[in-house]
Amino acid sequence: MTTARTATTWTGVDPAHPFGIQTLPYGSFTTPDSPVPRVGVAIGEHILDLTAAATALLPEHAGLFAAGSLDGLLGAGPDVWSQVRSRVTEWLVDERHRPVVEPLLVPAAAATLRLPFTVADYVDFYASEHHAANVGRIFRPDGNPLTPNWKHLPIGYHGRSGTVVVSGTPVIRPRGQVRTADGGVTFGPTTRLDFEAEVGFVVGIPSRPGRPVPLAAAGRHIFGVCLVNDWSARDIQAWEYVPLGPFLGKAFATSVSPWVVPLDALRHARVAPPPRNPRPLPYLDDSGAEPWGFAIELEVSLNGHPISRPPFAGMYWTAAQQLAHLTSGGASLRTGDLLASGTVSGPRREQRGSLIELAWNGAEPLTLPDGSTRTFLADGDEVVITGTAPGPDGTRVGLGEVRGRILPAADGTTTR
């Protein structure tokens, strides 16, 4: 069989397209004429109806896609993941399959994309040294920008899976308690709403409680990646986070891209993570192991204007280390767990992945091309995060986009 590395597709999709044959991300979609969710694979500007295609061409695995979400595929494991990807590639490359497959290609513009999988547990990490140091300098200008534990373990918090939403879902400005400059405490809409550009890793195979997942086993459990925007209400967060960490300041919405790119599509994007000092403890020491850094390039746009290009390759802690640390104390993995990287930031200002860094907590307002300025997000603002990574033969693997528009705060009235 012709492989994705050298293949060309009878669909006519340009190899330079980010959703070319080298990518083949998975998602869930509906169309106006068929409101029942189906699993799809993006190919150029079309979506292959995988639920229907599997019924015709892959009956032994058709049940994995019957519910219209990725849940069944995620739980099937690496051997099946590889088989399905190989078969989908074959269908789109070999002309013999064209009569069956071509009628199952749906124009992407006609589809509504859904949350691609059921989010089980959601953990957000804090893995960028540049981001952590910037935040430390903002809030501890006279002290060490990194906390004493930061280079010893991947710091994270357990988020709220119930408010993980698919790209395009509006984000309502949250309300909460904040501390005022004079020391008072008030309740109302946040005035310091922020975005965080992140990469998410989606867990497929679960693990048993009490059984840590070693670094070498990460590839058996992680299915693929998506884009994440972990929206943050900085003023609510600042008042509540001592002593236990983020709560309502991050619980109102976390947006994810509708497409999950399988790890196999990113094999040409793997890079070594940055040097670590001090050397991590043995269960986190990945020296000499398969590299789990990825040369993913993000771009953040605000109201259509690019404002940042964060590089994921510089992240200090990898997804394999995060998985190992998460399970080291006995916690188990579930199918559909989402591990977000934390804000991706680079060493330069134009590589910062949040407004609190770009505008330096309000001290250096960001000026947009229309002359308006931002310290934090205003109602009506739309944030779009996109991502690509190196693919075979000079191609680019697309991660799609995650977008969200800010709506005014609710009036606070309780409804049933």
Side-chain angles (χ1 to χ4, degrees):
M1 190 196 82
T2 305
T3 66
R5 180 177 178 82
T6 58
T8 57
T9 169
W10 52 256
T11 64
V13 173
D14 189 329
H17 196 292
F19 281 172
I21 196 73
Q22 72 279 5
T23 306
L24 301 181
Y26 298 93
S28 175
F29 73 103
T30 60
T31 53
D33 62 339
S34 182
V36 177
R38 289 161 280 169
V39 174
V41 176
I43 177 69
E45 301 302 320
H46 284 79
I47 300 171
L48 170 62
D49 183 343
L50 185 54
T51 298
T55 299
L57 298 171
L58 194 62
E60 65 270 31
H61 292 315
L64 299 178
F65 313 108
S69 80
L70 301 188
D71 295 357
L73 179 61
L74 293 179
D79 290 342
V80 175
W81 303 342
S82 179
Q83 292 169 21
V84 171
R85 180 171 170 83
S86 291
R87 293 295 296 276
V88 171
T89 302
E90 181 183 2
W91 300 341
L92 294 169
V93 168
D94 193 328
E95 283 275 357
R96 292 179 302 169
H97 298 292
R98 185 169 185 170
V100 174
V101 174
E102 192 166 35
L104 303 179
L105 293 174
V106 177
T112 298
L113 299 177
R114 300 165 48 87
L115 191 67
F117 60 95
T118 303
V119 181
D121 288 315
Y122 165 52
V123 182
D124 188 48
F125 287 92
Y126 195 45
S128 166
E129 182 176 2
H130 297 293
H131 172 68
N134 283 336
V135 172
R137 292 185 186 102
I138 289 170
F139 293 111
R140 297 183 298 277
D142 298 323
N144 190 329
L146 297 178
T147 54
N149 61 347
W150 198 91
K151 288 195 172 183
H152 292 272
L153 56 88
I155 295 173
Y157 75 92
H158 286 282
R160 186 173 176 82
S161 60
T163 44
V164 175
V165 297
V166 71
S167 172
T169 305
V171 176
I172 299 173
R173 182 177 295 273
R175 300 160 62 90
Q177 282 195 25
V178 299
R179 189 174 188 179
T180 61
D182 61 6
V185 178
T186 63
F187 183 90
T190 177
T191 60
R192 300 169 71 83
L193 185 56
D194 202 355
F195 66 83
E196 291 187 347
E198 307 191 15
V199 173
F201 291 80
V202 181
V203 170
I205 292 293
S207 67
R208 295 173 60 184
R211 298 291 182 89
V213 175
L215 294 170
R220 173 170 172 77
H221 294 274
I222 296 177
F223 171 79
V225 305
C226 61
L227 298 175
V228 177
N229 186 341
D230 187 36
W231 306 93
S232 300
R234 301 297 187 186
D235 44 2
I236 297 173
Q237 181 184 357
W239 174 231
E240 72 181 4
Y241 87 101
V242 178
L244 291 182
F247 187 37
L248 300 186
K250 288 177 173 284
F252 56 96
T254 299
S255 299
V256 297
S257 56
W259 296 109
V260 181
V261 177
L263 280 184
D264 191 49
L266 293 169
R267 64 190 184 280
H268 296 277
R270 287 186 182 263
V271 294
R276 279 64 166 265
N277 184 24
R279 187 168 182 167
L281 293 176
Y283 78 100
L284 293 174
D285 187 358
D286 59 359
S287 57
E290 177 186 28
W292 271 86
F294 292 92
I296 297 171
E297 294 289 335
L298 303 180
E299 180 177 274
V300 183
S301 294
L302 177 57
N303 300 334
H305 307 299
I307 60 172
S308 178
R309 291 181 172 84
F312 189 77
M315 298 296 276
Y316 192 90
W317 296 107
T318 71
Q321 291 171 314
Q322 291 162 356
L323 199 72
H325 184 63
L326 171 64
T327 60
S328 64
S332 59
L333 301 174
R334 295 197 291 168
T335 298
D337 279 358
L338 175 63
L339 280 63
S341 62
T343 304
V344 181
S345 291
R348 302 194 299 272
R349 183 182 183 186
E350 67 271 18
Q351 295 177 326
R352 298 172 183 172
S354 62
L355 269 177
I356 195 171
E357 297 170 88
L358 286 165
W360 210 249
N361 201 31
E364 303 172 8
L366 186 70
T367 301
L368 301 179
D370 62 4
S372 64
T373 60
R374 293 290 187 280
T375 53
F376 291 96
L377 296 172
D379 291 346
D381 282 350
E382 183 176 54
V383 178
V384 180
I385 303 168
T386 58
T388 64
D393 301 327
T395 60
R396 299 293 293 179
V397 171
L399 276 69
E401 67 173 32
V402 56
R403 68 171 60 227
R405 186 180 298 277
I406 307 303
L407 300 184
D411 62 10
T413 303
T414 300
T415 60
R416 291 183 180 270

